[in-house]
Structures are given as C-alpha cells and as structure tokens.
C-alpha cells in the first residue's frame, strides 16, 4: 500500500508522519533537539543535529508502520520559519550555528535598516515590518560578524537558506526553497515571488547565495540516504502547512493554532492584501502551474502561556488541563477580565509598553472567575486579530478552523464561537502541520488528484456554533477593550 510522508522540523523537535490515501496518520516518530543560548537574546540550533534527528525520525516512523522507504510515493517538508543557516557550497558543512527565529541579536541592525523611514520601510514590497524575527537581517548579521563569511559568499563558496533549504540540500543536493519560506526573509517580492535586487542590496545579501524559489506544491528533487529514490515534493512553512492541512483553500477560510501563543492565518486569495492594522501579508501556498495564494497573518503572544502562569506563577491549578474544570465552576467571568500583556500586546495594538492586568476584581471573585477570564482572554485576543483581518481584507470569516493543544478545552472553543459569532471547527487529525506537508507532497506527485479530493479528506471532530446574542457579545467585547486600555 502506498503512503506519503511528512518531515515536520519544528523549533524544539523533529517529527516524521506517514499518511495514507485517506488522509490518516498511520505512524509518527518524534525527537527533540538542543536549544542553545550562548548569550542573552541569542537562540541557536546545531544544523547537523537537525539533519541527524530527521534521519532518526524517518527510520523510527517507518519501523512503527512496518514499511520501507520504497512504500513512500513522496515526502513533504514543513519547518520552523525564519531560522537561518549558512553552509559551504562544496562540502555542505554548516558554517556556524543556525540562528533561530526567536533570536534578537539583530535588534540594532534592524533599527539601522529602519532609519528615518521606520519599521515599514520595506512593507510595500515584502508585506513585513522590519523585525528581528525575519531571516534577511540574520543573513546580514552573519555576513558582517562571522569571520571570512562575506568573502566566501562573494566568491560563491557559501550559501544561505532557511531550514527547509538546509534539509533539501542534505536530502537532494539541490539549493531550493518555496515562496512561503522565502516570503519570510524580507528579500522576496510578494508580487513577483522572486528575490528582489533592491532588497538584497539594502540588506547587503548577495543574490547568488540564495536558493532558487520553486512552487510549494512541486517536486524539489530525489531523496538520498534513508529516503533514497523517494521524491521530495511539497514544502511549506509550518503555519502555512497548518493552513493547508486544515484545507483552508478558499478566500475567507482561516485557521488558528492555539499553543503557547496563537498563530492566525486568513486565506485572502490570489492577491497579497496590504495591512493597515499591523498584520503580516504573506504567501499561503503556491501550486505549480497556478497563481499563488496569499494570506494575512496575526499572532497572539500569550495564550497557553497564561494558563502556565496560573499553574506555575500563582499555583491556582496543579496542571494545565485543570483549568477547564476550574473555569466551569462558575457560570460567567463575574466581571473579571485578564489582559495577559506580559511582554506587551501584538496586533492590532502593537503596544510594547502594555503590561498584564486583571480588572473587575471584587470580593465576589474567586479562582474560578480568574481561570475563566484567562481562557476568555485567548478568545478575545483572537477576535481582535480576526476583526483586523476582516477590516484589511474585506473578507468575512465563515468558519474558524482550529488546532493546537488548547482546542481540547471545550469551554474555550464554545466561548470562541460566541465572541466571534461564527462556527469553530476542530478536525479529527490534530497534527495539521504534518498533514499539510503530506497533502502538498501527495498533490505534487498525483497521489491526491487535486484540492477537491484533499478537501474531502478533512474530517470534522467537533463543531461549536455561536449561542450568544449580539447584544451580549457587544457588551463583553466592550468590557474587554476597556480592560485592554488599562494595560497601556
């Protein structure tokens, strides 16, 4: 029986999933890798370790499934975005550690690049604000700070890439990437889907060190090693892969991944939509022979992390899963609101000076009200971002597709549907990131016939429909927004 595979190379671990023709994950293996913190604000990974873990999880999953690589018709890749690596073109040896997306060592460089134009200097071309988050400044820093690297780059001896490119190089020998990852470098034009010479010049990154950009759903090369002879087909950054795995193929489809924070992506169709509300304009996916599809992206900084704070900081719950029962012990929030702005607020507020506040406390308030307010804060923050997305795109949300650890919390999911006024749907297969890469790989080689077939494979586990009246929704959101103002 044939299968497709998916390498899911994340920030803390690497997984390999094996997916059958029904879109079901039949086996998976996962291994963690080291997090390296050489200085405050610096976060690194060992590139060689990422390759080793990839081989290990492929072998582990094949063993669990009782199959060999010959049973795989294709393997896709999804990866932590923005993490950046330089390596030798001839030997393939990494020329230093991977600089992880969380790393902030480029803060001064980013400020210099912004100059008098400000953080939106390149937004019109890239869809992104200048930030330490993205790959381009990391490449500039490497070229300026790693001894001899700029000389090697100018001579054509060094190349750069994000993690997808690094894995593709090690699996196929090809120096390639896809538009979802390239669109996070600040070096690619959203309109042309190619590297932009003026951007490369501004960042001081020679265009020759960058990988060629291929459609997300296409064949990138033939695997080697443990995947010898298997087509490597389908590459998507992790959040775009989750969007693809949720089969959000129509404009207005949106997914939210609930984890430590939240990542929201809204499909905006075949044109990039500029944001006036601090969101990111990015590539959702591209299929060979078709126009690219774009998305708006927004992030909630603190979601599950607020639950962890209740557990570790306040000791209100013994374990994170206990918050639902505690929150359900009261019938409503009792007028209590929690704005978890521990490190400021992201879109649509962009207030780095904001700090966490709990408002509305009276002698009536209990631990249950604080727990409920914590869950509701995630739903309110999601509503704020989706409101910004609708304002930017003019596209009304029809259904919010959800995944991530917090979607097991049914009280939260019902309240999310209530404050949005639209249904919330949870899939049967929770591993949507890996599933998206598998879908892309299968489409590229004809294992799946097209988006219609892939869409039919998505199976709903649970749907929550709004039960709250419009007047109540407006009242709660107004109270939330007053509490947000107190956080400034």
């Amino acid at each position: 029986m044939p299968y497709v595979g998916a390498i899911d190379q994340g920030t803390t671990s690497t997984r390999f999933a094996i997916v059958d023709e029904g879109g079901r994950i039949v086996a998976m293996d996962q291994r963690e890798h080291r997090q390296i913190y050489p200085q405050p604000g610096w976060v690194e990974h060992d590139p060689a370790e990422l390759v080793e873990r990839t081989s290990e999880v492929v072998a582990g999953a094949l063993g669990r499934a009782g199959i060999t690589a010959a049973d795989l018709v294709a393997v896709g890749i999804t990866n932590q975005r923005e993490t950046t690596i330089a390596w030798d073109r001839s030997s393939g040896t990494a020329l230093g550690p991977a600089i992880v997306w969380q790393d902030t060592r480029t803060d001064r460089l980013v400020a210099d690049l912004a100059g008098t134009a400000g953080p939106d200097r390149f937004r019109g071309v890239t869809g992104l604000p200048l930030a330490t988050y993205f790959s381009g400044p990391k490449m500039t820093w490497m070229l300026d700070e790693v001894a001899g690297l700029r000389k090697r780059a100018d001579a054509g001896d060094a190349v750069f890439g994000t993690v997808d490119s690094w894995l593709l190089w090690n699996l196929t020998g090809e120096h390639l990437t896809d538009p979802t990852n390239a669109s996070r470098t600040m070096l690619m034009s959203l309109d042309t889907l190619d590297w932009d010479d003026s951007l490369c010049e501004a960042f001081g990154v020679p265009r020759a060190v960058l990988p060629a950009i291929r459609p997300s759903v296409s064949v990138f090369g033939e695997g080697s090693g443990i995947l010898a002879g298997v087509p490597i087909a389908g590459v998507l950054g992790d959040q775009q892969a989750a969007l693809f795995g949720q089969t959000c193929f129509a404009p207005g489809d949106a997914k939210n991944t609930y984890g430590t924070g939240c990542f929201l992506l809204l499909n905006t169709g075949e044109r990039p939509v500029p944001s006036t509300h601090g969101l990111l304009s990015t590539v959702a996916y591209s299929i060979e022979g078709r126009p690219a599809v774009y998305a708006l992206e927004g992030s909630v900084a603190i979601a599950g992390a607020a639950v962890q704070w209740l557990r570790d900081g306040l000791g209100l719950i013994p374990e994170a899963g206990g918050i639902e029962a505690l929150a359900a012990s009261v019938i409503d929030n009792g007028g209590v609101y929690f704005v978890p702005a521990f490190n400021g607020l992201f879109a649509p507020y962009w207030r780095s000076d904001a700090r966490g506040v709990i408002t509305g406390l009276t002698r009536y308030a209990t631990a249950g009200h604080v727990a409920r307010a914590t869950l509701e804060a995630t739903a309110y923050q999601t509503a704020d971002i989706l409101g910004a997305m609708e304002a930017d795109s003019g596209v009304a949300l029809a259904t919010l597709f959800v995944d991530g650890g917090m979607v097991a919390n049914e009280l939260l999911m019902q309240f999310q549907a209530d404050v949005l006024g639209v249904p919330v749907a949870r899939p049967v297969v929770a591993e949507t990131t890996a599933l998206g890469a598998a879908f892309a790989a299968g489409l590229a080689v004809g294992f799946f016939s097209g988006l219609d077939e892939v869409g039919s494979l998505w199976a709903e586990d649970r749907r929550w429909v709004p039960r709250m009246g419009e007047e109540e929704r407006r009242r709660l959101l107004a109270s939330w927004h007053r509490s947000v103002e107190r956080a400034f």
Side-chain angles (χ1 to χ4, degrees):
M1 182 175 178
Y3 302 93
V4 286
I7 297 167
D8 181 358
Q9 201 299 299
T11 306
T12 60
S13 67
T14 304
R15 299 182 295 176
F16 188 70
I18 298 171
V19 177
D20 67 15
E21 59 189 5
R24 294 177 294 270
I25 294 178
V26 299
M28 180 179 288
D29 194 35
Q30 181 172 350
R31 306 284 174 91
E32 292 185 354
H33 54 266
R34 290 174 298 144
Q35 307 296 306
I36 303 167
Y37 306 102
Q39 295 184 34
W42 290 32
V43 188
E44 297 176 349
H45 292 156
D46 177 356
E49 187 180 11
L50 300 183
V51 175
E52 291 167 9
R53 294 292 176 270
T54 300
S55 294
E56 289 168 1
V57 296
V58 170
L62 289 173
R64 288 170 188 250
I67 63 173
T68 69
D71 296 302
L72 300 174
V73 297
V75 166
I77 294 174
T78 181
N79 56 286
Q80 52 170 317
R81 304 172 302 176
E82 297 94 17
T83 296
T84 308
I85 302 167
W87 63 94
D88 183 273
R89 187 187 294 273
S90 299
S91 68
T93 303
L95 300 174
I99 301 181
V100 179
W101 59 272
Q102 301 155 311
D103 189 288
T104 59
R105 75 185 68 184
T106 60
D107 53 354
R108 187 172 301 175
L109 172 63
V110 165
D112 290 343
L113 283 165
T116 57
D120 287 339
R121 177 183 173 187
F122 305 113
R123 186 187 282 273
V125 181
T126 66
L128 309 173
L130 270 162
T132 60
Y133 186 25
F134 302 112
S135 312
K138 293 176 171 59
M139 295 182 195
T140 305
W141 187 93
M142 289 181 182
L143 288 164
D144 291 343
E145 302 296 331
V146 177
L149 185 55
R150 184 170 291 279
K151 183 177 180 180
R152 295 182 72 167
D154 289 339
D157 296 332
V159 295
F160 284 79
T162 41
V163 173
D164 59 304
S165 295
W166 172 242
L167 294 180
L168 283 167
W169 179 281
N170 281 276
L171 288 169
T172 70
E174 302 287 344
H175 190 209
L176 303 170
T177 190
D178 92 300
T180 67
N181 284 289
S183 68
R184 314 297 290 202
T185 61
M186 301 203 77
L187 301 175
M188 190 197 85
S189 164
L190 278 183
D191 290 326
T192 66
L193 300 184
D194 200 1
W195 306 118
D196 183 274
D197 289 333
S198 63
L199 292 172
C200 289
E201 183 178 354
F203 282 83
V205 175
R207 182 169 175 156
V209 306
L210 300 172
I213 303 173
R214 293 270 183 87
S216 311
V217 180
S218 65
V219 176
F220 286 75
E222 185 175 291
S224 59
I226 195 168
L227 291 174
V230 180
I232 309 301
V235 172
L236 293 159
D238 54 7
Q239 297 306 321
Q240 288 94 334
L243 187 79
F244 208 80
Q246 290 274 31
T247 67
C248 293
F249 300 141
D253 285 350
K255 72 89 189 175
N256 191 14
T257 300
Y258 296 76
T260 301
C262 290
F263 284 94
L264 292 92
L265 268 75
L266 171 75
N267 183 324
T268 60
E270 295 176 359
R271 62 183 180 90
V273 173
S275 176
T276 57
H277 293 83
L279 303 173
L280 307 181
S281 302
T282 194
V283 179
Y285 58 87
S286 62
I287 298 176
E288 192 166 25
R290 300 188 189 183
V293 173
Y294 296 86
L296 283 169
E297 179 175 324
S299 299
V300 171
I302 302 294
V307 178
Q308 293 169 340
W309 179 71
L310 290 191
R311 180 194 65 194
D312 302 332
L314 298 185
L316 287 187
I317 49 176
E319 43 89 23
I323 191 172
E324 184 170 9
L326 182 57
S329 69
V330 294
I331 60 171
D332 57 28
N333 66 13
V336 176
Y337 292 82
F338 176 23
V339 184
F342 296 145
N343 297 297
L345 286 171
F346 287 1
Y349 302 103
W350 295 109
R351 292 290 296 261
S352 60
D353 62 330
R355 289 298 177 265
V357 297
I358 299 176
T359 67
L361 290 175
T362 66
R363 285 291 298 272
Y364 171 72
T366 66
H369 294 110
V370 175
R372 196 174 188 103
T374 302
L375 293 179
E376 290 182 355
T378 295
Y380 288 131
Q381 291 179 98
T382 297
D384 285 342
I385 289 182
L386 285 167
M389 287 179 167
E390 290 187 358
D392 277 336
S393 67
V395 177
L397 179 70
T399 299
L400 180 64
F401 297 93
V402 298
D403 55 78
M406 293 184 79
V407 302
N409 190 310
E410 300 197 355
L411 188 152
L412 170 59
M413 292 297 99
Q414 180 60 57
F415 190 76
Q416 186 71 86
D418 287 340
V419 297
L420 291 177
V422 299
V424 168
R426 182 176 70 193
V428 170
V429 179
E431 305 292 347
T432 55
T433 304
L435 193 61
F439 283 161
L443 283 167
V445 299
F447 184 72
F448 302 120
S449 61
L451 293 182
D452 287 343
E453 181 186 355
V454 170
S456 72
L457 299 178
W458 185 92
E460 185 174 294
D461 174 56
R462 177 76 189 275
R463 175 175 291 253
W464 292 266
V465 298
R467 299 192 300 218
M468 184 181 291
E470 184 62 28
E471 183 177 343
E472 176 72 357
R473 182 181 302 118
R474 290 175 185 269
R475 183 186 70 79
L476 290 174
L477 284 168
S479 296
W480 161 255
H481 292 138
R482 284 194 296 270
S483 297
V484 170
E485 291 174 7
R486 302 292 193 278
F488 296 159

